[in-house]
Structure formats: C-alpha cells, structure tokens
Amino acid sequence: MADLKLAKGITALLVIDPYNDFISEGGKVWDRLKAVAEKNGCVSHMLQVLNAAREVRLPVFYALHHRYRRGDYESWKYLAPIQKAAWSHKTFEYGTWGGEVRTEFAPQPADIVALEHWCSSGFANTDLDLQLKKHGIHQLIVMGLIAHTCVEASVRYAAELGYEVAMVKDATASYSDEEMSAALDVNIPNYASAIVDANEVVDALSSL
C-alpha cells in the first residue's frame, strides 16, 4: 500500500459514528466490539488522530448514523438486516446517552456534521459529498466504526465519487478478528489509496 502523502487545503478527516453506544463502556454495542477495539487501541488512536488534525487545523467532517426515533422503520416495506437490527435494539436512540457522540469526539463549532445516514455509507442519501466538495476537499483520512459496515461502505462510496482515501487501520474496530480482516485486508484495499496506522497519520499531519 502506498505511503501517506497529504496536501493541505484539499485534505480532511472523516470521523464515522463515534457514538457512546459503540465506543463507551455501557454502550449497547460496546460489548460486541470491546475485544477487538481494546486489542488495537481503537478509541485512543481515534483520539490521537483527531487531536493531531485539530492541532494543524485540518477540516474535520462527521458521518453519523441515523439515531433511532420512535416510529422509525414501522411503515417501511423494505428493510436491510442492519436496519432491522437498529430498529430492534433502538441503537443510537435519539435523546439518550447512547445516541450522543462520546465527549472527547464531540464536534467543534468549525466542524462539519453531515446529515445522518440511514444504512451504512456516510454518503448515501446525505449531504456529505456536497459538503466536502463545497469545502474543496479531495483527500480523506477515514476512521471510526464499524470497519466492516459503515467504514467500509463509506470508503467504497468515496472512491466511487472520486475521492482519494487513507484508511486508519488501528482507529476502527469490528465484532471479530475475521470481520476486521475482511474489511482491512480484503475489501478496503481495493478502494483506499493508503492503509496506515495512527502514528503514520500523525507524522504526515505534522509535516503539513
């Protein structure tokens, strides 16, 4: 995989779904992610990259999953399995702690928060592509949850739209090592121009 080369003015950090339900003790999905996330230091690496991006004033964009609200999906005729799961578990329920972004990752006033996505891709049926283009962004550093669903889908879609993507491999997590490998070793390398760790991102950012 190619080395990470960043260009100021066209590069942004894309943070995907840093909800309490995913990455905080007591979150609805944390127990399924915990083993993998703790093994690779997912949360600390996400914070490391975010802080480094803020230090050099790199634009930060958020792609957040739709937060469950009462009545969601009830009249839908066609639901993907991932949407059925969100409905049954009320994942990221609006107005609850689990549906809030973990405090350390809370968007700042200058950050751009795209419309919430209903399935997996942060681009599908949202304004993320529009927001990125209006800010002159061509290159994305991607991190967040979950590697084999929203992260992979967003990286794929970004490539389809013409973005150059760098995936931060130790700033994501999945339910199992097998699912992590499927995303990071099999699928995402077809779409990301670079797959790097948090330290490599920080080093590249420091040179901007």
Side-chain angles (χ1 to χ4, degrees):
M1 188 58 64
D3 292 334
L4 181 59
K5 295 181 177 65
L6 302 179
K8 194 146 191 175
I10 63 168
T11 303
L13 174 65
L14 180 61
V15 186
I16 302 175
D17 294 341
Y19 285 123
N20 283 320
D21 267 348
F22 267 158
I23 55 173
S24 294
E25 196 71 47
K28 290 178 180 177
V29 192
W30 174 242
D31 283 345
R32 295 186 67 188
L33 291 166
K34 184 174 183 178
V36 173
E38 290 187 341
K39 184 163 71 172
N40 76 344
C42 170
V43 178
S44 61
H45 288 135
M46 286 175 62
L47 190 58
Q48 179 186 4
V49 171
L50 179 61
N51 288 339
R54 295 204 191 285
E55 183 70 23
V56 297
R57 298 186 180 180
L58 195 77
V60 178
F61 289 73
Y62 285 78
L64 301 178
H65 200 283
H66 179 78
R67 289 170 290 173
Y68 173 83
R69 293 163 173 82
R70 186 174 181 180
D72 282 352
Y73 310 110
E74 291 181 6
S75 62
W76 286 25
K77 295 187 181 196
Y78 311 106
L79 280 83
I82 197 170
Q83 292 164 332
K84 290 179 181 178
W87 185 11
S88 63
H89 298 295
K90 296 181 173 57
T91 316
F92 321 128
E93 185 171 6
Y94 183 79
T96 70
W97 171 83
E100 295 175 357
V101 170
R102 179 165 164 157
T103 303
E104 302 96 310
F105 300 95
Q108 301 301 303
D111 299 340
I112 305 297
V113 181
L115 296 173
E116 297 173 355
H117 52 273
W118 281 88
C119 194
S120 287
S121 171
F123 291 92
N125 304 306
T126 77
D127 63 342
L128 179 57
D129 181 48
L130 175 69
Q131 291 280 12
L132 290 167
K133 284 186 167 70
K134 292 298 185 183
H135 288 83
I137 302 303
H138 168 71
Q139 187 175 45
L140 296 175
I141 302 166
V142 177
M143 68 178 193
L145 290 302
I146 297 176
H148 69 280
T149 56
C150 294
V151 171
E152 181 181 323
S154 298
V155 169
R156 282 172 175 260
Y157 211 129
E160 296 279 6
L161 292 169
Y163 293 96
E164 183 179 4
V165 180
M167 177 69 218
V168 192
K169 62 185 178 181
D170 56 355
T172 187
S174 285
Y175 299 145
S176 67
D177 290 336
E178 291 76 17
E179 285 158 314
M180 277 284 276
S181 179
L184 294 174
D185 299 328
V186 179
N187 294 330
I188 290 177
N190 292 299
Y191 305 98
S193 301
I195 297 180
V196 293
D197 61 32
N199 287 330
E200 290 175 281
V201 176
V202 171
D203 288 344
L205 288 171
S206 66
S207 67
L208 290 179

